């Protein structure tokens, strides 16, 4: 869903394409090697080896830059690994171009860009959905971007739609009023987070006179005041070809595509250059108003110490203490940025990092994260620490400062620096395996530093960073005088658990169904396109089964020098004992904490030295394994995986540290409306003693002993319940032999544990539950009941039905009515969560507390409408095209492809299901979908859980 960006670790990382978290990092335009004119032959040799190992070719070697006569910059990159293409339009405007009073107008305009144009007065999300485009948008500090990824035959259609809304968007009063409510709902969701509120306060102090100190998404007070004329003026000033970058990456021919671009975009007029000037009159220019730059220098000249100023302290409702420290940094065009990023990895990346050792291993903190942000006009280094139980923030702050000072005083080893450089560079390579991410990187570089080749130069500069460079940037920027500190001290009573038996209020509603959405309108405004999909190459994985029962699926793919690993072990939380809920997660989370031959730091170091990752995540029906590495490091990745699943020994110290971290995490989860709503919803559907009913509590986590962890691991981690899937650059026979060598001695004893899920009855009427979370700004609602499993013959029809109902928050029936027309929810989705043993039908929405009842009533009205009247043939055909196109696009992403291969095997489906799936969707009929609607939608037998402020408990659903 479109939203605004938040900055996280890794320089120039992927812009996350789900929900509202999007990372955008920009770094120095100047090559950092200019600082190092003298380099020894040994250093040159080591740097060359590193370059060849992790960067066999540049990221931009076949990128072509074209500038049209009207000023539009076009970046094209052919990637012919799959018949898909991504189209992205980046505008060089963001919250940086705002000032108090109009804070959030860039974000508001981004929302309005989906509302339609003079030529196409229709919600653009519905057009993108009809094309099967994986489309979205985001607003950041320096740019606003719109992106879509489709099958290659829909390329021109996407270009036509983007060109249309570049200059022809309509901003109508009624639509603006509706979308302002949506934006306010979005902002209220962020306000639920203590981390967000603390960050907002700290950033305002760091940048008191610069727009970087304003929240990217805006404030409720400013959004409420936006008028049509303001938004229109902003649109006219900044949305023009000469202020935009068009990025296309994928399976296309450059020459033909450039002719199409000139035809579609070339006629758009360029903007008056004066209009492109920043509207800020008093927000300050480059570097102005930044505490730590001009502000710090003025105070130092008066003999004052910024550190003597008291920290910003927020005493507000919430749970868990937070410490945030922000250090001002230079803008993106400064040469120190590569060394700053290496510094960040040394300080906070992984178990061996300096701040993790000082704060987390000591028990002072449960988590420490950090990120370097480098933008057009400034930057900052942000450290966020979640305090451990009963730990004092002042003590943590003192330890944080001491740890950083210690690094500056004593330095770090060449080994640490080389490891950080390898991790950082591998992260960049591994994050650019799919075409959408590659285009994101090009767009980020071009709009922020003005050069799409920046990342190549940045990686070259990273390879030249030395220990002395890291010490130099710490001494230069991470000083006590420059930093701004924020404390979050919660005021409300600590929540220990969600009540197991919530107070249920049963209500009944009357309905007056409205008219269904006319999907003929979608086809009326859809650009001409050949709707026949391209045939996908029928490449299937090779499947092997060893004598111990281990199954592996291997699919060689030489498109990038990387490997993606995905795995499944039948050891999920469904096996948790009633009094030890959380045991399965305890085991999965501690597998990497030591084996008979390696301790936790050794394991972390081995992976970090190669920039590889390995993670275990428990869920209801299993443990999911995720791993990736550069191709030549696959043997190391498999060696660590085999060692931990066979020989993990769960050291006492690590278990106790993990227990404290988990207890802290639990408290934070129980302060989140979404988590509380999910828990109460599931426990309201599935009765006690059902495998899905149990959730961890403080009491259950305290009950888990080391022997319980060892016994669970011995019982449930077995080769005959394990599946591994690998996709990447490897030799099939060599990898098969390698896996056999590493896993062949994994022994199995007896039969694998099994569970029988008891049948669960539907609720007899509407069940309404309102768990209260005091002082939350946004409410979260879950609605639903038990559903179908993966083997149900109605599965494909249910997918089509769900796509029509709520599969997309902009184009579905729910999205069109509840979100787009009424503006009641920032996001509303439905899904049939179909597992091996049980399934759940679920609708989730986020609303302002005062809008919850109306949104719930409207949702039930639509369910009733579809249940009674069914859907239309055009809706079914559109939904099928969308599902098929989205599926084909997903197969171009190595991570999604690997997961598809894995889960087909876990569910016992033929490996050909990888390609049969689209045929099955295509064969779904209107009658089958309407039958599924009659059998699977039950608006009068539904559980409705809304978690939020206490006022909700006094409202019935109408």
């Amino acid at each position: 869903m479109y939203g605004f960006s938040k900055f996280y670790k890794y320089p120039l990382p992927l812009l996350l394409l789900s929900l509202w978290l999007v990372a955008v990092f920009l770094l120095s335009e100047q090559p950092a090697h200019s600082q190092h004119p003298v380099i020894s032959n040994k250093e040159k040799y080591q740097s060359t080896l590193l370059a060849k190992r992790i960067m066999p070719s540049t990221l931009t070697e076949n990128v072509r830059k074209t500038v049209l006569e009207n000023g539009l910059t076009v970046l094209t990159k052919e990637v012919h690994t799959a018949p898909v293409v991504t189209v992205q339009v980046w505008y060089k405007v963001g919250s940086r171009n705002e000032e108090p009073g109009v804070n959030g107008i860039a974000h508001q305009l981004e929302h309005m860009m989906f509302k339609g144009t003079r030529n196409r007065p229709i919600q653009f999300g519905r057009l993108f959905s009809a094309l099967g485009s994986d489309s979205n948008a985001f607003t950041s500090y320096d740019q606003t971007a719109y992106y879509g990824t489709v099958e290659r035959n829909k390329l021109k259609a996407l270009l036509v739609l983007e060109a249309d809304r570049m200059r022809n968007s309509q901003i109508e009063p009624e639509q603006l009023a509706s979308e302002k409510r949506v934006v306010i709902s979005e902002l209220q969701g962020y306000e639920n987070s203590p981390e967000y509120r603390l960050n907002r306060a700290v950033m305002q102090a760091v940048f008191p006179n610069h727009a970087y100190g304003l929240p990217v998404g805006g404030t409720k007070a400013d959004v409420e005041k936006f008028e049509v004329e303001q938004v229109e003026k902003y649109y006219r000033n900044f949305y023009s070809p000469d202020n935009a970058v068009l990025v296309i990456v994928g399976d296309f021919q450059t020459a033909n595509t450039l002719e199409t671009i000139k035809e579609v975009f070339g006629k758009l007029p360029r903007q008056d250059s004066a209009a492109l000037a920043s509207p800020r009159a008093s927000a300050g220019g480059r570097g102005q108003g930044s505490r730590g730059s001009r502000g710090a220098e003025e105070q130092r000249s008066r003999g004052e110490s910024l550190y003597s100023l008291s920290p910003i302290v927020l005493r507000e409702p919430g749970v868990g203490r937070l410490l945030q420290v922000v250090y001002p940094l230079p803008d993106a065009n400064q040469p120190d940025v590569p060394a700053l990023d290496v510094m960040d990895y040394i300080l906070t990346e992984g178990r061996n990092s300096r701040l993790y050792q000082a704060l987390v291993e000591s028990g002072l903190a449960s988590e420490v994260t950090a990120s370097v942000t480098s933008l057009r006009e400034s930057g900052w280094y942000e450290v966020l620490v979640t305090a451990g139980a009963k730990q004092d923030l002042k003590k943590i702050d003192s330890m944080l400062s001491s740890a950083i000072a210690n690094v500056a005083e004593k330095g770090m080893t060449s080994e640490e620096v080389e490891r950080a450089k390898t991790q950082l560079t591998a992260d960049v390579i591994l994050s650019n395996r799919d075409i959408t991410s590659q285009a994101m990187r090009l767009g980020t570089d071009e709009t922020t530093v003005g050069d799409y080749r920046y990342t190549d130069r940045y990686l070259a500069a990273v390879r030249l960073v030395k220990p002395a460079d890291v010490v130099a940037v710490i001494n230069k920027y991470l000083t006590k005088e420059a930093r701004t500190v924020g404390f979050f001290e919660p005021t409300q009573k600590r929540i220990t658990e969600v009540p197991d038996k919530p107070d249920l209020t049963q209500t009944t509603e009357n309905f007056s169904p409205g008219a269904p959405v006319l999907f003929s309108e979608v086809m009326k405004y859809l650009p001409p396109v050949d709707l026949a999909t391209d045939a996908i190459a029928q490449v299937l994985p090779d499947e092997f089964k060893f004598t111990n029962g281990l199954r592996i699926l291997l699919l060689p793919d030489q498109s990038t020098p990387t490997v993606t690993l995905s795995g499944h072990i039948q050891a999920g939380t469904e096996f948790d004992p009633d009094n030890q809920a959380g045991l399965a997660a305890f085991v999965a989370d501690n597998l990497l904490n030591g084996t008979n031959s390696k301790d936790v730091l050794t394991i972390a170091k081995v992976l970090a030295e190669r920039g590889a990752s390995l993670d275990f995540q428990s869920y209801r029906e299993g443990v999911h394994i995720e791993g990736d590495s550069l191709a030549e490091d696959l043997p190391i990745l498999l060696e660590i995986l085999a060692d931990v699943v066979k020989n993990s020994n769960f050291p006492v110290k690590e278990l106790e540290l993990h227990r404290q971290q988990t207890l802290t995490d639990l408290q934070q989860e129980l302060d989140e409306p979404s988590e509380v709503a999910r828990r109460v919803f599931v426990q309201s559907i599935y009765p006690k003693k059902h495998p899905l009913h149990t959730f961890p509590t403080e009491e259950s986590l305290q009950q888990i002993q080391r022997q319980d962890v060892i016994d669970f691991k011995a019982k449930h981690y077995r080769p005959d319940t394990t599946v591994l899937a690998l996709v990447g650059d490897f030799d099939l026979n060599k990898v098969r032999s390698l896996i056999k060598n590493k896993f062949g001695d994994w022994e199995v004893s007896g039969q694998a544990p099994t569970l029988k899920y008891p049948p669960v009855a539907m609720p007899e009427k509407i069940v309404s539950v309102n768990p209260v979370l005091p002082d939350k700004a946004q409410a979260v609602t879950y609605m639903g009941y038990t559903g179908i499993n993966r083997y149900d013959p109605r599965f494909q029809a249910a997918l089509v039905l769900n796509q029509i109902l709520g599969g997309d928050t902009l184009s579905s029936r729910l999205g069109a009515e509840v979100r787009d027309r009424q503006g009641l929810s920032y996001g509303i989705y439905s899904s049939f969560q179909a597992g091996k043993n049980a399934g759940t039908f679920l609708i989730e929405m986020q609303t302002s507390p005062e809008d919850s009842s109306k949104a719930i009533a409207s949702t039930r009205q639509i369910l009733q409408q579809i249940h009674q009247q069914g859907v239309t043939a055009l809706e079914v055909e559109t939904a099928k095209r969308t599902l098929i196109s989205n599926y084909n696009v997903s197969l171009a992403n190595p991570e999604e492809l690997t997961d598809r291969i894995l889960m087909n095997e876990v569910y016992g489906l033929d490996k050909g299901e990888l390609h049969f799936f689209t045929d099955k969707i295509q064969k779904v009929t209107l009658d089958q979908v309407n039958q599924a609607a009659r059998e699977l939608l039950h608006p009068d037998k539904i559980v409705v859980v809304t978690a939020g402020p206490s006022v909700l408990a006094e409202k019935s659903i109408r």
Side-chain angles (χ1 to χ4, degrees), residues 758-771:
V760 178
M762 292 281 293
E764 295 183 0
K765 57 179 71 174
I766 299 172
V767 178
S768 176
V769 191
N770 298 130

Side-chain angles (χ1 to χ4, degrees), residues 358-538:
L359 300 177
V360 180
E361 289 288 349
S362 67
L364 287 173
S366 66
E367 185 179 17
V368 56
T369 60
S371 60
V372 173
T373 300
S374 302
L375 302 176
R376 289 175 68 96
E377 296 183 1
S378 191
W380 57 89
Y381 185 52
E382 172 187 337
V383 182
L384 180 68
V385 182
T386 303
K390 301 178 182 179
Q391 296 296 333
D392 180 68
L393 290 177
K394 291 183 179 179
K395 181 179 180 181
I396 295 173
D397 185 29
S398 176
M399 182 61 73
L400 171 66
S401 297
S402 296
I404 293 174
N406 184 63
V407 177
E409 179 182 351
K410 298 182 179 179
M412 72 288 300
T413 65
S414 296
E415 180 186 12
E416 280 182 288
V417 173
E418 292 304 311
R419 183 166 63 240
K421 289 158 57 175
T422 301
Q423 286 179 283
L424 193 161
T425 310
D427 282 339
V428 173
I429 301 297
L430 291 168
S431 69
N432 278 277
R433 287 174 291 178
D434 64 280
I435 62 170
T436 302
S437 301
Q438 291 178 44
M440 286 285 181
R441 187 170 299 280
L442 294 173
T444 300
D445 287 356
E446 184 68 23
T447 56
T448 303
V449 298
D451 186 359
Y452 70 88
R453 298 162 298 185
Y454 174 73
T455 296
D456 287 335
R457 296 204 318 273
Y458 165 81
L459 291 176
V462 165
R463 294 197 300 273
L464 300 178
V465 172
K466 301 296 181 290
D469 302 323
V470 178
V471 171
V473 294
I474 293 176
N475 286 324
K476 185 175 181 180
Y477 299 108
L478 271 57
T479 64
K480 287 185 177 181
E481 293 78 15
R483 70 191 203 136
T484 301
V485 180
F487 291 172
F488 180 82
E489 295 279 7
T491 58
Q492 73 186 45
K493 183 179 179 181
R494 193 165 67 100
I495 302 172
T496 57
E497 62 179 290
V498 174
D500 193 48
K501 290 185 177 181
D503 181 22
L504 306 185
T505 303
Q506 298 182 340
T507 63
T508 304
E509 302 174 38
N510 295 318
F511 291 93
S512 177
V517 176
L518 294 176
F519 269 69
S520 58
E521 291 293 293
V522 176
M523 305 310 295
K524 177 181 176 181
Y525 295 113
L526 197 68
V529 63
D530 178 10
L531 292 177
T533 58
D534 287 297
I536 305 295
Q538 300 291 307

